Amino acid sequence: MSAGSGFTRRGFLRVLAVTGGALVVGIPARAWAQQDGREDLAILGDSWTALNAFVRVEPNGRVIIGARTPDMGQGTRTSLPRIIADEMDADWAQVTVTPLPLGVEDDQGTPRWLYGPQSAGGSTSIPDAWRDLRQAGAAARWLLVQAAAARTGLPPDQLRTEAGWVITPDARRLGYGELAADAGKLSLPDAGVALKSPQAYRLIGQAARGVDVPAIVTGQQKFGYDHYWGDGLIAMIVRCPYFDGELDHLDAGAALAIEGVEQVLPLPAMPAGTLLGRGPLGAGVAVLARDTWSALKGRAALDVRWKSRSGGTASTTALEGQAERVLKGAATTLVRRNGDFAHAFRTAARRIQAQYTVPFVAHATMEPQNCLVRIDPDRAYLMAATQTPRSAFDVVRQITGLDAGQISIEMPRIGGGFGRRLDNDYVAEAVLLAKAVGKPIKLQWTREDDLGHDVYRPFGVHALAAGVDRKGHIVAWRQHLASTSKLWRRGVPDDRLWTSELYPDDPPAGMVANLELAWFALDFPLPRGNWRAPGHTANAFAVQSFLDEIAHATRQDPLRLRLALLGAPRLLPYASHGGPTLDTGRLANVLQLAAQRIGWSSRAPAGRGRGLACHFTFGGYVAHAFEVSVSGGKLAIHRAVAAADVGRVIDPNGVDAQISGGTLDALSTALNLAITVRDGAVVQQNFPDYPLARMAEMPREVEVIQVPSQADPAGAGEMGVPSAAPALANAIFAATGVRLRRMPFKPGIARIG
Amino acid sequence: MPLPPPTPSASGIVPEPRRTGVELTVNGERYVHTGDPDMPLLWWLRDVLRLTGAKYGCGVGACGACTVLIDGKPARACLTPVLAARGRNVTTVEGLADPLGRLHPVQRAWIDEDVPQCGYCQAGQLLAAAELLARKPQPSDADIDAIPNLCRCGTYPRIRRAIRRAAAIASGEAP
Ligand code: FES
Ligand code: FES
């Protein structure tokens, strides 16, 4: 680890201020900001009085560390501060973590971001932190050592640090607290400071416990839904069920007569093409009341009718027909071509084809969407349960016209994200309402709002075809995907809509000589969005199921077929998120580890079957293996194994939770969940018809194997999802001989009997 | 049921009107709810008492995020009118520790096993587990499987481990 790697540009860390003896350290822009052509951030953390730098050392030795990314269960309030604490050799028992608000200042009309990246999505919080937050810790440590050197008259390189102390060669100990005031008067060298060598890590790589857990288990932790602001009103919205609908009739008399209901406000549908929070907001009628119960009664009492502008005929049944038709025609976009698929397929010894269907699904975050907003003439305050505070900030600016310096956004702990809260439609609604009402408001979505008005994981039909030669090698591979692009209505040009649906370098691309990937656009009015490990969930299901089908059709062992396909360990170019390379050796390794753990080389117990699958997601390599049986139309998952190589592990306990949770999320979704549309509206209303798995359906344990790695950390939030569904389908096939090609699996399993 | 109106005594003095709200006990404290008696307990706890430990997840009794104990039995606060809790003892996650603030074994076990991910469902899970252990100090896997509370983050394996640990703590086998 070289000194100050990635921080050789101007600025760097600097000591921001000293107040009451406290040392406050901030850090500058991350190096990639410039590479990516993103904003070049200025020096961070200069609002020290509000305790919003990353590190602060109090005279009593307490170390306060800011967590910049909202925590929705992925553990960043714990893992990010531990990266800083380790670099500065703080004593974790002396650390208090404080969640940071959106760090923004007005710089002559443009926002200046104070903390670097603060959004939580794409499993990027840890990789981002790895790039820049270590510097915050290293700088604090450097300053404290310099202060100790000045005080003792010893050269700094003779001093070492450990758990909140600077220690001299003759074992004298100077506490960080007593050095803080002096350290705060020093300035940092322009060239940045040296980072620790990995052998010296004391927290990184060690299991941690979530910093918010004691508050959660005692009911003290506040989520967005748990906040109340003085005389604020509760806002709830009756929503038009049609995607393209508008208000037909409204009589608010009965609702307004209910005690506690203060106002009823129609929210007209926005014109197509509006980009606010995510896209155009749909039509609704807001009920503003003094408490939730009054708002709910008001909602129920509204006499409201809606009409669909297009006749309200859209249905997912018709969409399936559209997919079948479209797949017979010409592709919208040829995504990748190697060699000559048509010829190789025609001349192959064996030809195999299969089609896989992936439904729309909803996010169903346990905490429904909510947002608190207060707008004063020259100021806006938000408590926004969002994964993307900067885009929430953009929404506020768009609606209010306020300056960057007049907008304050706090992010509470969030009851689940999974990509839903990358979109800020509910923030936009709350800001519009607060502005219209002139009082602070707290917008609360119901579960029905949430399931009926989500941005859904896209629907897709994957048509796969492969040619296999006499030796069992795959010589031709074709994936044709007809799907409703996630990027539709998001300001993305039509010829780029495929980019969220097929990733051109996903395996087996680069491993099969004759290969064709093509995307076929489907037209459907349901809004789409990011759902945990977006396109990977669908593609891994299709590709890893199909590989199994090829193995069985050609009498090969599914593990060996995959290993042969991955071939010798090497780096393949990978242009999508998670690149720039894919290491086939790391993917083969997790596959073998999962296979070993499940006992692949031995026979499964009678009546049971085993299946496996692997996938590369956003820089992480994960393989799943399951052992299952089906009897009486009921599935039992006897064993669940996940092997994960996500680079250097910051917190093994956190990675275990994410991979295990991702596995269960994938299983619950693959087994039970689909959003369907009939007569222009979503059919599913609430958990009874959108049945997340309960404890009894899920494996009792997920055996998570973590591969030790020195590679830069990749994050772990999404990698546990993609390979789980195909491994399950493959295990069900092994147990029963029935191939499930359509999610959700439940109805197919029931038919097995 | 409305209480009878106060009647003048023989002395002619009209006594102070009797409070006509719904009386109930929450975490050992007595309260009188004077608003709409049909208000679900969940919204009364949250919006009126500002006890936000019990969460809203579905409003239809399907998720268990709003679980509280009423006289020791699990109840869906989203479907329970305040009136239905009249004269009864309601325990929310805020009242799960004992009056001296010592954590309940399930709370200790939840911390030790680091159960929560997002944490939103966990108040309900803790109360469901506490009730199970009160009923069955050494629950079987099938007993644990019968807990119907949803966890969107997939913490079920750790919930299972934590219930086992809590059972061990309660029986003195674990610290
Ligand atoms: S909120 Fe009461 S059961 Fe879901
Ligand atoms: S911990 Fe997130 S829903 Fe259970």
Side-chain angles (χ1 to χ4, degrees):
Chain A
M1 208 73 16
S2 69
S5 60
F7 280 85
T8 49
R9 294 186 306 118
R10 68 173 176 83
F12 313 116
L13 287 132
R14 83 174 179 205
V15 182
L16 297 159
V18 180
T19 175
L23 164 65
V24 186
V25 177
I27 63 159
R30 39 189 276 183
W32 64 257
Q34 208 175 42
Q35 291 160 19
D36 284 14
R38 301 193 196 186
E39 70 286 346
D40 185 315
L41 307 184
I43 301 294
L44 303 187
D46 29 357
S47 306
W48 50 266
T49 48
L51 184 52
N52 54 10
F54 289 102
V55 180
R56 172 162 167 163
V57 180
E58 301 283 352
N60 64 4
R62 183 135 288 278
V63 176
I64 293 145
I65 301 184
R68 69 180 172 194
T69 313
D71 200 325
M72 52 197 178
Q74 84 284 37
T76 42
R77 277 193 188 175
T78 305
S79 53
L80 265 45
R82 278 174 76 85
I83 290 175
I84 297 172
D86 198 341
E87 275 296 342
M88 70 177 287
D89 271 337
D91 174 7
W92 185 246
Q94 292 281 319
V95 169
T96 302
V97 171
T98 186
L100 294 171
L102 177 67
V104 61
E105 280 186 347
D106 183 72
D107 185 3
Q108 295 167 1
T110 52
R112 192 155 63 98
W113 308 107
L114 303 178
Y115 301 135
Q118 289 193 267
S119 77
S123 301
T124 55
S125 297
I126 290 280
D128 285 346
W130 193 248
R131 277 181 217 118
D132 64 6
L133 290 187
R134 281 183 299 164
Q135 277 286 331
R141 178 182 171 279
W142 189 90
L143 293 165
L144 292 157
V145 168
Q146 300 299 315
R151 189 163 313 170
T152 59
L154 292 162
D157 59 8
Q158 290 195 14
L159 301 173
R160 62 188 186 88
T161 52
E162 190 184 309
W165 299 94
V166 180
I167 303 170
T168 64
D170 58 350
R172 258 188 306 150
R173 298 163 82 84
L174 295 91
Y176 280 6
E178 57 181 294
L179 294 168
D182 287 355
K185 296 186 188 116
L186 305 171
S187 43
L188 285 160
D190 276 354
V193 299
L195 296 172
K196 259 186 175 182
S197 81
Q199 298 89 287
Y201 290 147
R202 291 193 179 85
L203 301 173
I204 292 170
Q206 300 303 312
R209 286 188 186 146
V211 294
D212 287 342
V213 169
I216 291 170
V217 303
T218 50
Q220 304 306 312
Q221 180 65 52
K222 295 259 182 282
F223 294 79
Y225 231 94
D226 300 335
H227 285 275
Y228 292 86
W229 279 354
D231 58 344
L233 296 176
I234 301 286
M236 299 182 96
I237 298 178
V238 178
R239 290 156 198 283
C240 173
Y242 307 112
F243 319 121
D244 59 347
E246 58 195 12
L247 191 60
D248 185 30
H249 164 85
L250 171 67
D251 178 353
L256 286 166
I258 288 169
E259 198 194 324
V261 173
E262 299 219 338
Q263 282 192 54
V264 171
L265 272 178
L267 290 166
M270 295 189 170
T274 317
L275 288 174
L276 188 67
R278 68 156 198 250
L281 298 180
V285 177
V287 175
L288 296 119
R290 286 202 295 272
D291 57 57
T292 308
W293 181 231
S294 306
L296 285 168
K297 285 191 290 186
R299 242 173 84 113
L302 275 185
D303 177 7
V304 60
R305 277 195 309 271
W306 308 98
K307 62 177 182 239
S308 161
R309 273 168 289 176
S310 67
T313 53
S315 85
T316 34
T317 312
L319 180 62
E320 298 216 7
Q322 186 191 141
E324 295 292 338
R325 276 195 312 282
V326 160
L327 282 167
K328 292 195 182 92
T332 310
T333 308
L334 178 62
V335 171
R336 177 169 178 146
R337 173 177 281 164
N338 296 111
D340 182 347
F341 169 82
H343 178 256
F345 184 67
R346 209 175 331 108
T347 54
R350 285 293 303 272
R351 285 185 288 278
I352 298 140
Q353 303 196 55
Q355 198 163 296
Y356 304 88
T357 304
V358 178
F360 290 114
V361 292
H363 295 84
T365 57
M366 208 66 204
E367 179 191 22
Q369 314 323 321
N370 61 86
C371 186
L372 287 87
V373 181
R374 173 197 175 108
I375 297 184
D376 295 340
D378 56 354
R379 218 160 167 83
Y381 301 90
L382 275 79
M383 174 67 71
T386 176
Q387 294 178 238
T388 53
R390 275 198 207 171
S391 17
F393 168 90
D394 289 340
V395 166
V396 181
R397 280 188 108 193
Q398 229 176 311
I399 296 173
T400 63
L402 290 169
D403 292 342
Q406 297 172 308
I407 299 169
S408 307
I409 300 185
E410 270 185 75
M411 296 88 82
R413 191 176 178 85
I414 304 176
F418 314 108
R420 171 62 182 91
R421 290 170 158 117
L422 294 170
D423 286 320
N424 288 298
D425 46 327
Y426 53 95
V427 173
E429 288 175 348
V431 175
L432 285 168
L433 286 171
K435 200 175 156 208
V437 174
K439 272 194 180 186
I441 67 123
K442 173 182 171 188
L443 174 67
Q444 297 184 157
W445 283 40
T446 62
R447 178 61 59 199
E448 290 82 1
D449 292 339
D450 174 57
L451 288 180
H453 303 272
D454 197 355
V455 283
Y456 304 86
R457 184 183 76 186
F459 166 92
V461 176
H462 300 247
L464 281 103
V468 181
D469 71 12
R470 269 177 229 295
K471 296 202 203 93
H473 297 143
I474 301 171
V475 293
W477 178 279
R478 183 179 69 194
Q479 182 180 4
H480 282 181
L481 166 60
S483 73
T484 55
S485 171
K486 176 186 97 175
L487 299 174
W488 173 76
R489 276 205 185 169
R490 287 174 181 270
V492 174
D494 283 357
D495 63 353
R496 300 292 295 165
L497 290 178
W498 64 272
T499 55
S500 60
E501 308 304 295
L502 276 175
Y503 305 121
D505 299 328
D506 265 4
M511 301 164 190
V512 177
N514 303 287
L515 178 130
E516 181 183 305
L517 306 178
W519 182 68
F520 299 68
L522 294 180
D523 182 25
F524 202 69
L526 190 67
R528 281 90 73 174
N530 300 280
W531 194 98
R532 201 176 192 179
H536 288 297
T537 52
N539 287 305
F541 169 56
V543 168
Q544 291 290 319
S545 296
F546 191 53
L547 284 174
D548 230 59
E549 299 213 44
I550 296 171
H552 290 291
T554 58
R555 294 177 199 267
Q556 300 187 67
D557 175 74
L559 171 63
R560 250 180 274 142
L561 175 111
R562 283 180 177 80
L563 293 174
L565 187 67
L566 290 169
R570 64 200 186 284
L571 295 180
L572 295 176
Y574 192 88
S576 307
H577 175 32
T581 55
L582 177 161
D583 185 334
T584 60
R586 289 171 76 184
L587 195 50
N589 182 45
V590 291
L591 186 60
Q592 277 167 310
L593 287 170
Q596 264 160 28
R597 177 65 73 87
I598 202 90
W600 189 257
S601 53
S602 69
R603 256 183 126 63
R608 296 188 185 181
R610 295 183 185 135
L612 37 78
C614 61
H615 196 68
F616 173 69
T617 307
F618 301 163
Y621 303 81
V622 171
H624 279 96
F626 297 111
E627 185 175 295
V628 309
S629 64
V630 177
S631 90
K634 285 224 173 342
L635 170 76
I637 304 174
H638 303 286
R639 283 188 65 204
V641 174
D645 175 352
V646 293
R648 181 183 299 284
V649 169
I650 308 300
D651 169 13
N653 176 51
V655 169
D656 178 88
Q658 286 306 303
I659 300 296
S660 169
T663 302
L664 262 53
D665 187 1
L667 294 175
S668 166
T669 307
L671 285 169
N672 297 341
L673 303 179
I675 288 290
T676 54
V677 172
R678 204 168 45 222
D679 301 330
V682 168
V683 173
Q684 288 69 29
Q685 305 257 319
N686 203 317
F687 289 132
D689 53 8
Y690 195 75
L692 304 183
R694 294 176 198 275
M695 188 127 60
E697 287 175 77
M698 288 286 100
R700 289 184 174 157
E701 194 189 337
V702 180
E703 302 166 49
V704 177
I705 304 163
Q706 300 185 28
V707 178
S709 170
Q710 312 291 313
D712 281 353
E718 294 167 279
M719 295 72 182
V721 177
S723 49
L728 177 64
N730 296 341
I732 291 171
F733 178 83
T736 66
V738 176
R739 173 60 60 182
L740 298 174
R741 300 192 182 92
R742 163 184 286 269
M743 296 206 244
F745 299 152
K746 246 309 171 39
I749 294 170
R751 278 196 295 275
I752 295 172
Chain B
M1 265 211 308
L3 298 172
T7 44
S9 67
S11 66
I13 296 168
V14 181
E16 205 179 292
R18 288 171 62 178
R19 309 277 301 266
T20 54
V22 179
E23 290 190 33
L24 70 166
T25 303
V26 178
N27 299 334
E29 309 245 4
R30 300 194 55 193
Y31 293 89
V32 180
H33 168 56
T34 51
D36 182 351
D38 288 334
M39 181 188 282
L41 186 57
L42 176 65
W43 299 115
W44 181 68
L45 290 169
R46 294 176 56 83
D47 288 355
V48 181
L49 301 194
R50 299 286 157 93
L51 285 173
T52 54
K55 303 292 191 239
Y56 166 80
C58 69
V60 298
C63 74
C66 65
T67 305
V68 297
L69 302 182
I70 300 182
D71 291 342
K73 295 265 163 310
R76 298 287 193 243
C78 67
L79 293 183
T80 308
V82 178
L83 187 62
R86 161 179 276 168
R88 304 171 75 185
N89 286 299
V90 176
T91 306
T92 70
V93 70
E94 291 95 335
L96 200 48
D98 74 13
L100 296 175
R102 283 177 305 217
L103 296 185
H104 188 282
V106 293
Q107 291 172 309
R108 286 160 60 192
W110 247 245
I111 292 171
D112 290 343
E113 295 290 347
D114 199 51
V115 173
Q117 284 189 31
C118 82
Y120 195 78
C121 72
Q122 298 295 343
Q125 307 282 6
L126 284 153
L127 289 159
E131 191 273 338
L132 170 61
L133 289 170
R135 207 164 17 93
K136 273 204 125 178
Q138 296 298 328
S140 66
D141 267 323
D143 294 328
I144 297 173
D145 280 342
I147 294 178
N149 292 42
L150 295 178
C151 174
R152 174 68 182 80
C153 300
T155 63
Y156 298 133
R158 289 197 187 186
I159 290 175
R160 185 181 303 275
R161 287 212 295 274
I163 291 175
R164 299 226 168 283
R165 184 187 279 261
I169 292 172
S171 68
E173 286 162 43

